[in-house]
Amino acid sequence: MLALSANGVLPKADYAIFADTGWEPRTVYQHLDRLEKEIAAPAGIPILRVSSGNIRRDALDPEHRFASMPLYILNQDGKQGMTRRQCTGEYKIKPIKRQVRELLGYPYPLRIPKDVFVEQWVGISTDEFHRAKDADVRYMHNRHPLIDMGWSRSDCIRYLTSIGLADTPKSSCLGCPFHGNAQWRRIRDTSPEEWQDVVAFDAAIRRGNARANAAGNKLLGQAFLHRSRMPLDQAPIDHVTAAEWAAHQEELSTAEAPVPDVEELEQDVEDGCSPWACRGEADAELTQGDFGLAS
């Protein structure tokens, strides 16, 4: 959307806002720097970087009130579950709202008049039109330009390729539990340092919320980053999932590839994270009573 705006396909935006969780892949920060230099700055569109802190550091700090990640849980009785997801709201939406208030001239706790608002673009394509929703405050009016244009994910990729941005990475925390196997493999195979980082984090959260543990809460189970509920460096990330196979089939020009045994493919969730459009938000339904992870 930033490129479309900078190139005159969409109206010129006043600002672009990037909500930084503090734990994005190195390639995302490099890409953001490139966007700012080559696309945004020449068009006169400021990129504002906002943050509520470093999600990795906060998760391991017993003194910090942590907004829980949707971790996969293996309870002592063998039952499986997930902790509730609060990270998108805390580390994406909250800092964006704070920045928008400041841009409008009404920082919290000032009351914003009813007729004062921003038109906010959210980058959801037609593939995920069901995720398009309004903001929950009246001073932000969400719009979805890609849907208005009838653009699918493939259209976006073609456009990015045409302007030299074919290598645009997905924005999500390095250790997001909603990563698909392809994303875990990409980290492992292309960035050994970041792979060691997520493996270490996965081991560190095995006993759950650092604050709860420091307070002596009873341990009801174990927490994991991978849906197999195995340590990340032992998880079956080399398995090709059903979603990966479907995406691969879309890219093939012929239908000659062999069809795998579907029963052997684990279910997958699209990786990536966006304010108002976390792709895995429907999967995190369990509350703190299941594991005592939420502070």
Side-chain angles (χ1 to χ4, degrees), residues 97 100-101 117 134-142 276:
K97 287 180 175 177
V100 167
R101 276 181 156 273
F117 62 90
D134 289 330
D136 58 357
V137 289
R138 64 179 177 225
Y139 60 85
M140 301 168 76
H141 293 185
N142 282 358
W276 292 278

Side-chain angles (χ1 to χ4, degrees), residues 132-260:
K133 63 186 76 171
D134 289 330
D136 58 357
V137 289
R138 64 179 177 225
Y139 60 85
M140 301 168 76
H141 293 185
N142 282 358
R143 275 196 54 200
H144 305 89
L146 299 178
I147 294 178
D148 295 341
M149 295 170 62
W151 275 31
S152 67
R153 180 189 180 105
S154 297
D155 294 318
C156 296
I157 292 174
R158 278 193 292 270
Y159 179 71
L160 289 170
T161 301
S162 74
I163 61 173
L165 295 174
D167 58 349
T168 296
K170 293 176 181 175
S171 174
S172 62
C173 289
L174 267 175
C176 178
F178 288 137
H179 282 337
N181 280 350
Q183 181 73 351
W184 288 126
R185 288 196 300 272
R186 190 175 300 114
I187 297 171
R188 181 195 65 187
D189 298 342
T190 65
S191 183
E193 182 180 341
E194 291 181 322
W195 175 247
Q196 290 303 315
D197 183 28
V198 292
V199 167
F201 180 80
D202 175 69
I205 52 92
R206 192 75 71 239
R207 297 185 68 250
N209 186 307
R211 188 174 183 179
N213 291 334
N217 286 17
K218 183 180 178 181
L219 184 66
L220 301 180
Q222 292 183 308
F224 300 86
L225 288 182
H226 194 267
R227 61 178 53 84
S228 66
R229 293 167 177 83
M230 296 176 60
L232 187 57
D233 56 355
Q234 301 172 33
I237 67 173
D238 287 309
H239 288 185
V240 177
T241 68
E244 287 179 59
W245 179 257
H248 178 62
Q249 289 293 82
E250 270 188 35
E251 298 171 0
L252 294 178
S253 58
T254 66
E256 298 175 357
V259 178

Side-chain angles (χ1 to χ4, degrees), residues 30-202:
Q30 292 170 344
H31 178 72
L32 183 61
D33 290 341
R34 182 185 174 191
L35 276 181
E36 189 167 36
K37 179 180 179 180
E38 299 180 10
I39 303 293
I45 303 175
I47 294 180
L48 307 179
R49 307 187 191 205
V50 299
S51 178
S52 286
N54 183 298
I55 191 172
R56 188 193 194 284
R57 183 171 58 243
D58 294 347
L60 302 180
D61 181 3
E63 300 299 320
H64 191 277
R65 179 192 172 280
F66 177 59
S68 64
M69 298 169 65
L71 304 175
Y72 295 95
I73 304 304
L74 182 63
N75 290 307
Q76 290 180 350
D77 60 4
K79 292 183 179 179
Q80 298 181 349
M82 289 186 75
T83 55
R84 63 182 177 183
R85 179 186 59 88
Q86 299 173 312
C87 47
T88 302
E90 181 69 20
Y91 289 91
K92 293 280 190 178
I93 297 176
K94 183 177 178 179
I96 290 175
K97 287 180 175 177
R98 182 171 60 242
Q99 180 66 76
V100 167
R101 276 181 156 273
E102 292 177 2
L103 292 173
L104 290 174
Y106 295 91
Y108 184 81
L110 294 180
R111 185 179 181 85
I112 301 178
K114 292 182 179 180
D115 59 344
V116 175
F117 62 90
V118 299
E119 179 180 282
Q120 175 173 256
W121 297 351
V122 183
I124 299 175
S125 63
T126 56
D127 311 80
E128 297 183 317
F129 71 91
H130 57 286
R131 298 192 186 279
K133 63 186 76 171
D134 289 330
D136 58 357
V137 289
R138 64 179 177 225
Y139 60 85
M140 301 168 76
H141 293 185
N142 282 358
R143 275 196 54 200
H144 305 89
L146 299 178
I147 294 178
D148 295 341
M149 295 170 62
W151 275 31
S152 67
R153 180 189 180 105
S154 297
D155 294 318
C156 296
I157 292 174
R158 278 193 292 270
Y159 179 71
L160 289 170
T161 301
S162 74
I163 61 173
L165 295 174
D167 58 349
T168 296
K170 293 176 181 175
S171 174
S172 62
C173 289
L174 267 175
C176 178
F178 288 137
H179 282 337
N181 280 350
Q183 181 73 351
W184 288 126
R185 288 196 300 272
R186 190 175 300 114
I187 297 171
R188 181 195 65 187
D189 298 342
T190 65
S191 183
E193 182 180 341
E194 291 181 322
W195 175 247
Q196 290 303 315
D197 183 28
V198 292
V199 167
F201 180 80
D202 175 69

